[in-house]
């Protein structure tokens, strides 16, 4: 049995990387597929698998190894409400958000950070296009998210500012990179390694634009072993639905106060002895 990492998944096959970085196209055992014989999230980029050759010499994924985490979102469009698996076994989710052109959308930073917390994946931000944005905005935003414990990298991919410092923090690890189109994600990935944008762009010219692959992650391993999972075709983003009492897990700065709530299933609304409510900036506004 051979062990490999999933680089990308098509409708019915997976491309996996062996330890030497060779790409191997694998069939996948039917038990991992849905009734329409499609993979649909059973296998995602970053999954570690065991594969073997069958009697015909075809590579087949036999096992999916346990995941240490799984980054997911709530599906948009015709599949609204369903969970969509994006990538597994991540060291972090890096959100690229531009200070200008397009304007900074802090709501997106919040939604992705909440999703990352709920999926137990470390979260980081790259504030891009600092050559266009106001220094004050960059500083204020960086300060706000650093205060929550998240690394914030202030960069200009075009001018090369902050890019190598950011790369040093990613080196040798596996990072999912996500961001609205136009924020400079491709420019940044190309700055990491010039072939990266090309390789990602060249992925699966036939189905690469199809709905099955556009929102799933695509894993690339760079020459030094650093792994980047790209998420092309990304538009809206919403965290997966969770039970009301678990929502707070998405907000670590508030979650630590929940330890002091009198009731274990406190809704942090008007319960007596709530540890969160008095510290909530919006105290007084009904939840
Ligand atoms: P993506 O859609 O997120 O992959 O964005 P691209 O990398 O394609 O960049 C979108 C546009 O922003 C392109 O015209 C880039 O040249 C430009 N761009 C990317 N990074 C920077 C930057 O740091 N500063 C400025 N001024 N423009 C940038
Ligand atoms: Zn409470």
């Amino acid at each position: 049995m051979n062990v490999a990492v999933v680089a990308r998944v098509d409708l019915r096959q997976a491309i996996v990387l062996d330890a030497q970085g060779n790409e191997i196209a694998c069939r996948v055992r039917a038990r991992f597929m849905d009734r329409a014989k499609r993979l649909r999230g059973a296998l995602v980029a970053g999954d570690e698998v065991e594969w073997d050759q069958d009697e015909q010499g075809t590579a087949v994924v036999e096992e999916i190894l346990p995941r240490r985490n799984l980054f997911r979102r709530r599906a948009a469009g015709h599949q609204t409400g369903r969970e969509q698996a994006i990538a597994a076994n991540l060291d972090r989710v890096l959100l690229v958000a531009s200070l200008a052109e397009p304007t900074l959308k802090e709501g997106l930073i919040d939604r992705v950070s909440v999703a990352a917390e709920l999926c137990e994946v470390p979260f980081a931000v790259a504030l891009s296009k600092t050559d266009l944005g106001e220094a004050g905005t960059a500083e204020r935003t960086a300060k706000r998210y650093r205060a929550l414990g998240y690394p914030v990298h202030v960069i200009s991919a075009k001018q090369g500012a902050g890019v190598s410092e950011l790369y040093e923090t990613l080196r040798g690890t596996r990072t999912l990179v996500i961001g609205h189109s136009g924020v400079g994600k491709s420019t940044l990935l190309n700055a990491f390694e010039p072939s990266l944008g090309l390789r990602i762009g060249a992925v699966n010219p036939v189905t690469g634009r199809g709905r099955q692959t556009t929102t799933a992650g695509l894993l690339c391993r760079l020459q030094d072993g650093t792994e980047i999972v790209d998420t092309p075709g990304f538009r809206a983003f919403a965290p997966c639905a969770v039970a009301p009492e678990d929502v707070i897990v998405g907000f670590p700065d508030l979650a630590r106060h929940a330890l002091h709530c009198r009731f274990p299933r406190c809704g942090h609304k008007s319960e007596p002895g709530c540890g969160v409510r008095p510290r909530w900036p919006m105290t007084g506004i009904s939840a």
Side-chain angles (χ1 to χ4, degrees):
M1 207 62 92
N2 312 286
V3 176
V5 174
V6 173
R8 57 186 194 267
V9 178
D10 298 336
L11 274 182
R12 292 181 178 83
Q13 68 163 8
I15 308 296
V16 305
L17 295 180
D18 68 11
Q20 288 73 43
N22 301 307
E23 287 198 352
I24 302 152
C26 289
R27 289 199 306 115
V28 177
R29 284 281 171 229
R31 71 174 185 279
F32 298 120
M33 300 191 177
D34 65 11
R35 265 182 264 148
K37 288 208 174 0
R38 286 189 286 211
L39 276 166
R40 279 203 194 280
L43 199 61
V44 290
D47 262 326
E48 286 171 24
V49 297
E50 288 180 346
W51 66 275
D52 216 342
Q53 282 182 340
D54 66 9
E55 308 76 52
Q56 285 86 43
T58 311
V60 184
V61 170
E62 302 281 356
E63 277 307 334
I64 304 170
L65 300 181
R67 293 164 170 161
R68 74 186 142 100
N69 57 39
L70 176 66
F71 188 62
R72 326 177 280 284
R73 65 171 201 160
R74 193 147 21 117
H78 67 294
Q79 292 189 325
T80 302
R82 284 184 56 145
E83 276 197 9
Q84 197 165 46
I86 302 175
N89 302 319
L90 297 168
D91 292 306
R92 72 184 64 68
V93 166
L94 176 70
L95 175 76
V96 183
S98 61
L99 285 167
E101 300 179 25
T103 48
L104 187 66
K105 295 179 185 68
E106 292 193 31
L108 178 70
I109 306 181
D110 294 338
R111 290 199 300 284
V112 177
S113 72
V114 166
E117 294 288 349
L118 292 171
C119 297
E120 297 182 48
V121 184
F123 176 73
V125 185
L127 289 177
S128 70
K129 303 200 189 184
T130 49
D131 54 304
L132 296 179
E134 286 170 33
T137 312
E139 254 165 52
R140 225 178 318 113
T141 311
K143 205 171 155 195
R144 186 174 311 147
Y145 288 95
R146 280 177 189 146
L148 298 176
Y150 300 126
V152 180
H153 306 271
V154 180
I155 62 164
S156 168
K158 205 165 202 173
Q159 298 182 330
V163 173
S164 54
E165 292 86 344
L166 168 57
Y167 188 75
E168 281 312 310
T169 68
L170 313 185
R171 189 191 288 280
T173 65
R174 181 180 295 151
T175 302
L176 179 110
V177 184
I178 193 165
H180 272 314
S181 96
V183 296
K185 182 161 64 79
S186 314
T187 309
L188 176 66
L189 297 184
N190 280 322
F192 288 162
E193 186 174 297
S195 66
L196 189 57
L198 284 176
R199 274 201 274 163
I200 288 169
V203 159
N204 204 340
V206 180
T207 59
R209 290 186 187 285
R211 64 191 153 86
Q212 302 300 333
T213 47
T214 44
T215 46
L218 305 169
L219 183 147
C220 274
R221 189 177 296 158
L222 306 188
Q223 276 161 12
D224 62 3
T226 303
E227 291 180 343
I228 300 291
V229 182
D230 192 21
T231 48
F234 168 87
R235 288 199 185 85
F237 185 93
C240 288
V242 290
E245 64 269 25
D246 292 334
V247 170
I248 198 150
V249 175
F251 301 85
D253 53 319
L254 295 176
R256 61 197 165 91
H257 300 303
L259 299 172
H260 305 295
C261 295
R262 187 182 305 164
F263 300 112
R265 294 170 68 85
C266 184
H268 320 300
K269 286 180 179 166
S270 52
E271 292 85 346
C274 176
V276 174
R277 186 76 180 156
R279 295 167 194 276
W280 203 4
M282 288 185 290
T283 298
I285 302 171
S286 74

